Amino acid sequence: MSTLWSKSSWTLVTQSARLLRRLTTRPPNLNCCCVALLNSDSRRRFTVTTAHRRQAPPHSTVADMAPKAPKFDIKTPKGTKDWDGVDMLVREKIFSSITDVFKRHGGTTIDTPVFELKEILAGKYGEDSKLIYDLADQGGELCSLRYDLTVPFARYLAMNKDITQIKRYHIAKVYRRDQPAVSKGRMREFYQCDFDIAGTYDSMIPDAEIIRIINEVFDSLGWKGTYTIKLNSRKILDGIFQVCGVPEALIRPISSAVDKLDKMPWEDVRKEMVDEKGLDLVIADKIGQWVVLKGQRDLLEKLQQDEELSKNPSMAQGMADLDLLFTILEYFDALHTVSFDLSLARGLDYYTGVIYEVVTEGSAPAVSAAEAAAQAAARPSKKKAGKSGDPDEDRSNDPTLGIGSIAAGGRYDNLVGMFSGKTQVPCVGISFGIDRIFSITKARMAAQKTTERPRKTDVDVYVMAFGGGKDFTGLLKERSQVCARLWDAGIKAEFLYKVKPKLPAQFKAAEQNGVPFALILGEDELAQGKVRIKEMGLASDHPLKEGELISFENLTEEVQQRLTRKKQLDSITQQAGGLRVVHGIKGEDVKA
């Protein structure tokens, strides 16, 4: 091919080759370079390959070749958060307390897919259906992320026709495209803990046990006396609407409006009924005479004495149900936390009988919307306050938004039949909102202002080595063997990953993680068959401040005895002090 080249072309090629050999910025993994030239006379393209034997310069690294990171904020999606450290431990303890109650009542757990066919979820949630996350069609099926755990459970029962009775619990994440307020536990991705009783039983016995379970869960969390179970019946509410003259087509929309009475004054709810739902003003005023009432047996007796209400079949059945329910709750010693509240409606379409929700500290907003509007109007015009119209904006700092209910549920007798045709499996259940419970628990912990620091791990014993000087071995072998013995005995333990650790560094690690006991190994003590156990955090004048020697041979038994004793003392202290929620008192008029 060289015979085809002109002299000028050859000169250009050789000069290019010399230039390429001088390059110092070429990638280190390349050993040749190709230069394409176009001969000006023949218009033919030639390629010359020149070998590179010189090594890449020191500054040329793989990192230099890596693509630059895209310029965007690294964050979690709106309405979600990462969980770690103390928060994870607090949440796990909440899970554990709730699960213990569920198992105590004979619950068995199941799991279902995180997404369902879109048609399974459609038409079950009333006005809240717009909050469902729909997924793109990937595989010929239209799917949505589950909105709750109840509808998937009903679908599960419809598919498994051999299951006619079950006490089921389910702890899993659900998804709702609601306006978030993360610090108040109002999330778009959040955990629910559900307990449901499915099957045909005598009236109101399962419903009463569900309410007893609610009491046990919150009492186990240390909230005794700080929560109220608001209770109503869809049969009673529908009966009131029918007697007042609400058209059948408007009963569910009017129920949704009434359900906002815990967030809005009656005047605003009345306005929504008339202006937005199209209800006659006279009918709205009739409804208003009833839905603002609260009580217990006294309110039930008032309803029973009203002749017009008593003649309505739905109303009569609902009142009979509540009369029996209150009696069984007295048997269960669970009536004292219940408030019969006619404003409770629960917006979900699938409820058919008794409904309830649990409120406590922070459930109600700090100020009403009307108060907030008045405050905003009083501010100077240059400071335009008020909440943004962005439905995706986090409302954690919005005083007009409370935490809301922390648990809710009710009876749904027809939901399974929506999937299985004629087969009906009556169900009643409760769903606990873990993230809202967590938010209130964190607020309580902050308000206690205790010197006790939350533990970051569940480790009970920190194994340490005592010694120093040039002959100090660090006792790595002995520490490892002691940890192995503790682990074999089911005791949570760890040690510092240093061959020759310093004692202050070991104590610092134990203190930072809130480990309650230190097991200190010393060469002299080991030679005598002894080790020193020390309870962390004791007062300076405590007789066991420096710890005590225990038998190395009976090490695990000695440690277990102290752990058991400490657990018992902590339980007594907890019961005496009460794990109260920020000055909580019983009643639904409590504000944060």
Side-chain angles (χ1 to χ4, degrees):
M1 291 177 62
S2 61
T3 57
L4 301 176
W5 295 356
S6 66
K7 182 178 180 181
S8 60
S9 298
W10 176 251
T11 301
L12 181 58
V13 169
T14 55
Q15 289 175 348
S16 298
R18 293 193 194 101
L19 178 62
L20 288 168
R21 281 195 296 269
R22 296 192 189 105
L23 289 175
T24 59
T25 59
R26 62 188 177 276
N29 60 331
L30 299 180
N31 58 10
C32 66
C33 182
C34 296
V35 181
L37 302 174
L38 189 64
N39 183 282
S40 59
D41 296 330
S42 61
R43 313 302 298 173
R44 180 179 296 177
R45 184 176 296 275
F46 301 94
T47 301
V48 178
T49 301
T50 306
H52 297 299
R53 295 183 177 86
R54 186 183 304 172
Q55 293 182 351
H59 68 272
S60 181
T61 64
V62 175
D64 296 330
M65 300 171 58
K68 292 184 178 179
K71 294 183 178 179
F72 62 84
D73 292 337
I74 301 177
K75 66 181 188 67
T76 61
K78 291 181 179 180
T80 66
K81 61 173 287 186
D82 292 321
W83 293 79
D84 58 12
V86 174
D87 286 358
M88 279 295 293
L89 289 176
V90 172
R91 191 173 73 173
E92 287 300 318
K93 289 185 183 301
I94 294 172
F95 283 149
S96 178
S97 296
I98 294 176
T99 302
D100 286 347
V101 175
F102 289 171
K103 291 181 177 179
R104 189 185 308 149
H105 285 263
T108 58
T109 190
I110 69 167
D111 195 13
T112 62
V114 74
F115 53 89
E116 296 276 350
L117 293 177
K118 186 176 181 178
E119 59 200 30
I120 293 290
L121 305 183
K124 311 299 189 303
Y125 303 108
E127 294 182 357
D128 286 347
S129 294
K130 62 182 181 292
L131 304 180
I132 295 174
Y133 275 102
D134 292 328
L135 302 178
D137 182 0
Q138 298 185 24
E141 292 182 329
L142 292 177
C143 297
S144 301
L145 294 179
R146 61 188 174 202
Y147 177 92
D148 64 7
L149 301 178
T150 305
V151 172
F153 176 52
R155 188 265 308 152
Y156 166 84
L157 290 174
M159 289 179 60
N160 296 272
K161 298 185 185 299
D162 57 319
I163 300 176
T164 57
Q165 291 184 340
I166 185 175
K167 286 183 175 180
R168 151 273 194 192
Y169 73 89
H170 191 184
I171 299 176
K173 289 182 177 180
V174 298
Y175 301 85
R176 299 180 186 178
R177 199 183 182 281
D178 205 352
Q179 186 162 9
V182 172
S183 69
K184 297 179 180 180
R186 303 177 78 100
M187 316 281 284
R188 289 181 167 179
E189 177 193 62
F190 56 96
Y191 269 100
Q192 284 189 337
C193 293
D194 282 23
F195 188 97
D196 294 78
I197 302 174
T200 301
Y201 302 95
D202 286 350
S203 179
M204 292 295 108
I205 300 176
D207 309 65
E209 184 172 1
I210 292 292
I211 293 174
R212 169 71 194 199
I213 287 171
I214 297 172
N215 279 275
E216 290 184 24
V217 164
F218 287 110
D219 288 355
S220 72
L221 294 174
W223 291 22
K224 195 168 186 176
T226 69
Y227 62 92
T228 297
I229 304 172
K230 297 168 63 175
L231 182 144
N232 199 3
S233 169
R234 272 285 176 86
K235 295 176 183 177
I236 288 178
L237 201 58
D238 289 354
I240 290 175
F241 292 158
Q242 291 167 3
V243 171
C244 291
V246 177
E248 192 68 26
L250 286 181
I251 285 183
R252 288 286 77 83
I254 296 304
S255 292
S256 297
V258 168
D259 201 43
K260 298 175 183 177
L261 278 171
D262 61 335
K263 311 176 189 70
M264 300 162 52
W266 164 247
E267 290 75 17
D268 292 345
V269 173
R270 177 175 176 268
K271 180 179 176 61
E272 179 180 327
M273 287 180 177
V274 175
D275 295 348
E276 298 181 23
K277 312 296 185 183
L279 187 67
D280 184 89
L281 182 61
V282 175
I283 296 176
D285 288 337
K286 288 182 180 179
I287 293 173
Q289 297 174 8
W290 294 107
V291 296
V292 296
L293 301 179
K294 303 173 185 178
Q296 208 175 73
R297 280 197 178 274
D298 57 333
L299 177 55
L300 180 60
E301 291 170 358
K302 181 176 182 177
L303 296 177
Q304 291 170 332
Q305 292 168 3
D306 188 287
E307 292 184 8
E308 190 175 8
L309 290 178
S310 299
K311 292 177 182 178
N312 180 272
S314 176
M315 190 76 187
Q317 183 61 58
M319 291 189 295
D321 287 345
L322 284 198
D323 198 1
L324 178 58
L325 176 64
F326 288 161
T327 299
I328 301 174
L329 287 176
E330 288 175 340
Y331 299 159
F332 279 149
D333 190 24
L335 183 59
H336 59 284
T337 57
V338 171
S339 170
F340 180 19
D341 189 333
L342 288 176
S343 71
L344 180 64
R346 302 289 297 144
L348 305 183
D349 284 351
Y350 50 69
Y351 288 123
T352 58
V354 174
I355 51 177
Y356 33 78
E357 67 179 27
V358 184
V359 295
T360 186
E361 206 76 10
S363 290
V367 299
S368 68
E371 291 173 332
Q375 293 171 5
R379 295 191 186 100
S381 57
K382 62 181 180 181
K383 284 188 176 181
K384 289 190 178 180
K387 60 187 180 185
S388 167
D390 182 4
D392 296 320
E393 180 184 7
D394 189 284
R395 294 179 62 192
S396 292
N397 297 322
D398 185 353
T400 67
L401 184 71
I403 287 178
S405 62
I406 52 177
R411 173 160 288 280
Y412 51 102
D413 287 344
N414 302 327
L415 186 56
V416 177
M418 291 183 182
F419 303 122
S420 61
K422 295 182 179 180
T423 304
Q424 294 285 8
V425 181
C427 301
V428 62
I430 180 66
S431 177
F432 296 89
I434 294 302
D435 297 84
R436 297 185 183 187
I437 293 173
F438 171 84
S439 295
I440 295 175
T441 301
K442 286 279 286 185
R444 174 190 55 77
M445 291 170 63
Q448 281 181 334
K449 297 180 180 178
T450 178
T451 56
E452 181 183 353
R453 299 178 61 183
R455 294 177 60 179
K456 293 183 179 180
T457 72
D458 281 338
V459 171
D460 290 319
V461 180
Y462 207 95
V463 180
M464 305 182 184
F466 173 75
K470 62 180 181 179
D471 296 329
F472 178 54
T473 64
L475 301 175
L476 177 60
K477 175 183 176 181
E478 290 80 0
R479 285 184 290 145
S480 301
Q481 291 174 337
V482 167
C483 273
R485 286 179 62 184
L486 295 173
W487 295 332
D488 288 342
I491 298 171
K492 305 178 186 72
E494 64 178 353
F495 64 98
L496 194 63
Y497 295 156
K498 288 282 188 180
V499 175
K500 294 183 179 182
K502 295 181 179 179
L503 195 61
Q506 296 173 91
F507 271 111
K508 182 179 180 181
E511 290 169 355
Q512 286 179 338
N513 290 326
V515 181
F517 286 95
L519 203 59
I520 305 169
L521 311 184
E523 292 178 345
D524 293 342
E525 288 83 356
L526 288 172
Q528 301 171 17
K530 302 283 187 181
V531 294
R532 184 172 296 274
I533 188 167
K534 170 181 168 59
E535 183 173 353
M536 305 289 287
L538 295 179
S540 58
D541 58 348
H542 195 283
L544 296 178
K545 173 66 176 176
E546 301 304 322
E548 56 184 324
L549 292 175
I550 60 175
S551 166
F552 184 78
E553 183 179 355
N554 300 325
L555 172 68
T556 56
E557 292 83 355
E558 293 277 2
V559 170
Q560 194 64 66
Q561 288 176 8
R562 285 162 176 79
L563 289 174
T564 300
R565 186 165 64 239
K566 180 172 176 56
K567 184 176 181 180
Q568 292 171 345
L569 290 173
D570 288 346
S571 177
I572 294 172
T573 303
Q574 175 177 318
Q575 292 173 10
L579 295 181
R580 293 181 298 275
V581 183
V582 197
H583 309 297
I585 62 172
K586 181 173 178 287
E588 50 262 70
D589 57 344
V590 179
K591 293 188 177 181

